[in-house]
Amino acid sequence: MNRKEHWETVYTKNDDTQVGWYQPDPETSFRLIETASPEKGAVIDIGGGTSRLPEKLLDNGYKSIAVLDISAAAVTKAKARLAQRAENIQWIVGDITEVENLGRFDVWHDRAVFHFLGALSDRRRYVELAGHTLPKGGRLIIGTFAKDGPPRCSGLEVCRYDAATLAAEFGPVFRVVDETSHLHHTPSGKPQPFIFLTMVRV
Ligand SMILES: C[S@@+](CC[C@H](N)C(=O)[O-])C[C@H]1O[C@@H](n2cnc3c(N)ncnc32)[C@H](O)[C@@H]1O
């Protein structure tokens, strides 16, 4: 099964409140976005899936929000949940390692997507696209499983990072301005340590 088929199956077969990464309130991501962009700039959520982040941003005055995900099923579910409010969001179905151009955003947010990129060439393309999408001074917020996090997510192997190894993937185009540890609990109660970095586009 290829990457896209995997994620389409995940979102077609599962209730999105039962998947391991589900959060009723994405408060860590939101707080980091607020700190990165107090002026409430344009935000893109990479691999946003069915996250509750878009409505939290809308509720708090963000006017330019985009969500990209490889899974059309995830985007359909997220749009259905948001009903009419979905029209205030730009939805993009695509593989982040294949997208050519996303336009311009002030904040790039990714929770638990980059860590699936096991191939160096995919990670290089990801960083290159982020570098083209954010202006100088733009902020990239990325959360991955920490070094002591689980080795797999959604049945797929992940790369686990600490602040130094994650920063190394993004340098010298990005420079770290904040490091935050976060302990996520899956709906079944399993702890998953995350590392979040906020980086500035140099
Ligand atoms: C672990 S989930 C996290 C979802 C969301 N960020 C959250 O915090 O709830 C990973 C998400 O990344 C998406 N994804 C995986 N690989 C991707 C890729 N190459 N390009 C775009 N999205 C991808 C999946 O469909 C899924 O929605």
Side-chain angles (χ1 to χ4, degrees):
M1 198 188 283
N2 70 28
R3 186 145 69 186
K4 181 169 172 64
E5 288 166 349
H6 172 83
W7 289 106
E8 295 295 10
T9 306
V10 165
Y11 283 108
T12 305
K13 294 211 166 146
N14 295 289
D15 180 325
D16 71 343
T17 62
Q18 295 307 315
V19 292
W21 54 92
Y22 171 69
Q23 296 180 293
D25 179 5
E27 54 90 20
T28 298
S29 294
F30 176 71
R31 181 173 48 78
L32 294 174
I33 292 169
E34 282 273 89
T35 304
S37 185
E39 68 286 7
K40 303 189 190 292
V43 180
I44 184 161
D45 190 17
I46 304 301
T50 58
S51 161
R52 274 57 180 166
L53 187 59
E55 52 260 61
K56 182 135 185 157
L57 292 171
L58 284 174
D59 287 345
N60 285 276
Y62 288 79
K63 302 241 176 308
S64 176
I65 304 163
V67 176
L68 175 145
D69 204 279
I70 196 169
S71 164
V75 167
T76 301
K77 276 192 179 181
K79 285 168 88 169
R81 189 186 72 238
L82 278 146
Q84 212 166 351
R85 298 183 90 198
E87 289 167 17
N88 300 318
I89 290 167
Q90 181 190 357
W91 302 95
I92 306 161
V93 175
D95 183 329
I96 194 59
T97 65
E98 292 173 6
V99 173
E100 298 278 337
N101 181 13
L102 288 169
R104 278 276 169 159
F105 289 89
D106 303 303
V107 179
W108 173 292
H109 172 265
D110 168 341
R111 172 176 178 265
V113 185
F114 183 79
H115 67 192
F116 289 110
L117 304 182
L120 180 61
S121 56
D122 283 346
R123 297 198 297 276
R124 290 280 169 271
R125 291 179 79 173
Y126 181 109
V127 175
E128 196 180 326
L129 181 63
H132 286 139
T133 304
L134 294 167
K136 281 190 180 167
R139 301 292 158 119
L140 183 146
I141 298 164
I142 187 151
T144 70
F145 280 175
K147 280 280 187 201
D148 55 348
R152 299 173 83 82
C153 176
S154 184
L156 301 175
E157 271 184 36
V158 298
C159 303
R160 290 170 289 178
Y161 294 95
D162 56 24
T165 53
L166 188 53
E169 296 284 345
F170 288 84
V173 183
F174 291 93
R175 179 173 51 79
V176 176
V177 292
D178 178 72
E179 174 188 336
T180 295
S181 296
H182 172 71
L183 188 62
H184 170 64
H185 285 94
T186 67
S188 63
K190 291 200 186 91
Q192 294 185 332
F194 272 76
I195 168 94
F196 278 85
L197 292 185
T198 301
M199 296 179 249
V200 61
R201 169 81 167 84
V202 176

